[in-house]
Amino acid sequence: MLITIEGIDGSGKSSLMEGLKRELADLSPLFTREPGATWVGDQVRRAIAERVDPVTEALLFAADHAAHLATLVGPAIRDGRIVISDRYTDSRYAYQSVMLDGVLPEPLAWLRAVHAGWTIAPDCTFLLVLPVEDALARLPARRTREHFEEEEILSRVQAEYLALAEEEPGRFVVIDALGEKEGICRFVAGEIRALCGSRPPRHRL
Ligand code: TYD
């Protein structure tokens, strides 16, 4: 079972992941992330920092995804484990569609073709959605911002995410990320349990 968590920077994915680690500990899921679950991800971070051209950037994110699948996601799925990934293929479809706009004629179709034949599709994707101003206000003020973290870019990225969700309503669960953190976490954990046919443990330690 492959579950992915998506949303723009500042949408609360990291705290949701932390909450799910507590709520779903009895299911021993593999918690993972993109980019950066393998050494390829370190190169991706370097590429982001150095602002390489958008095609190089897209291919590096895709390479990180390939290494992530080969070393972590694929083996865990074959072992019948639940995998929960903070960002996954839809991050490329949403962010790189925007970054490649004007560079390639049909960015989304190109990105899909790059993934075709080897990626593993998620069973369910939770998309955290909120006004971009609120997302930006949540980003730590002192941290240098990545080039993705600008209002105009994030608005377009979020619009891409919503279009993907509209295209595949059976896979996406769209969540109001302005809601209370604990409530969002309990809801997502409950949905994941329902998908896996699992009940919460009766006695919490
Ligand atoms: P992430 O590690 O989630 O952000 P943070 O450094 O805040 O923890 O991702 C880094 C940035 O990379 C983020 O702005 C989203 C972007 N990104 C893409 O553009 N494409 C992708 O395929 C992925 C996985 C991330």
Side-chain angles (χ1 to χ4, degrees):
M1 174 74 59
L2 175 57
I3 312 289
T4 62
I5 313 286
E6 295 281 358
I8 57 174
D9 304 78
S11 60
K13 289 181 296 83
S14 311
S15 57
L16 174 58
M17 286 291 278
E18 287 313 309
L20 293 176
K21 283 180 192 167
R22 283 194 311 275
E23 288 282 329
L24 300 174
D26 58 300
L27 301 179
S28 311
L30 169 68
F31 285 97
T32 186
R33 59 173 297 148
E34 290 189 7
T38 71
W39 67 266
V40 183
D42 301 337
Q43 305 311 309
V44 178
R45 292 208 177 269
R46 179 173 165 191
I48 298 173
E50 293 187 15
R51 302 187 76 149
V52 294
D53 73 277
V55 174
T56 306
E57 180 180 271
L59 292 173
L60 279 170
F61 276 121
D64 176 61
H65 179 60
H68 188 208
L69 291 190
T71 58
L72 290 163
V73 178
I77 298 281
R78 283 193 289 279
D79 284 350
R81 285 183 73 188
I82 301 167
V83 177
I84 304 180
S85 187
D86 176 354
R87 297 199 181 281
Y88 196 76
T89 310
D90 295 304
S91 281
R92 238 110 43 235
Y93 293 171
Y95 282 80
Q96 271 64 56
S97 279
V98 173
M99 303 314 290
L100 290 166
D101 184 29
V103 177
L104 298 175
E106 283 186 63
L108 182 57
W110 183 82
L111 289 160
R112 285 188 161 138
V114 167
H115 288 76
W118 57 271
T119 191
I120 301 173
D123 296 290
C124 181
T125 299
F126 294 93
L127 174 61
L128 296 168
V129 175
L130 78 176
V132 173
E133 312 85 82
D134 294 284
L136 285 171
R138 286 179 180 186
L139 293 176
R142 273 175 294 117
R143 185 158 71 77
T144 13
R145 290 207 175 156
E146 285 155 359
H147 56 290
F148 305 116
E149 297 172 349
E150 281 157 23
E151 186 155 6
E152 195 241 328
I153 291 189
L154 288 185
S155 304
R156 291 173 62 199
V157 169
Q158 184 152 268
E160 293 289 334
Y161 267 132
L162 289 169
L164 293 167
E166 209 166 293
E167 209 178 291
E168 275 188 85
R171 171 164 71 88
F172 277 89
V173 179
V174 178
I175 292 175
D176 174 6
L178 285 183
E180 186 248 328
K181 257 197 219 169
E182 284 301 312
I184 293 176
C185 179
R186 273 195 306 275
F187 170 75
V188 173
E191 293 286 298
I192 294 175
R193 282 190 190 279
L195 284 167
C196 303
S198 140
R199 294 190 175 183
R202 280 216 192 123
H203 305 290
R204 289 267 169 83
L205 290 177

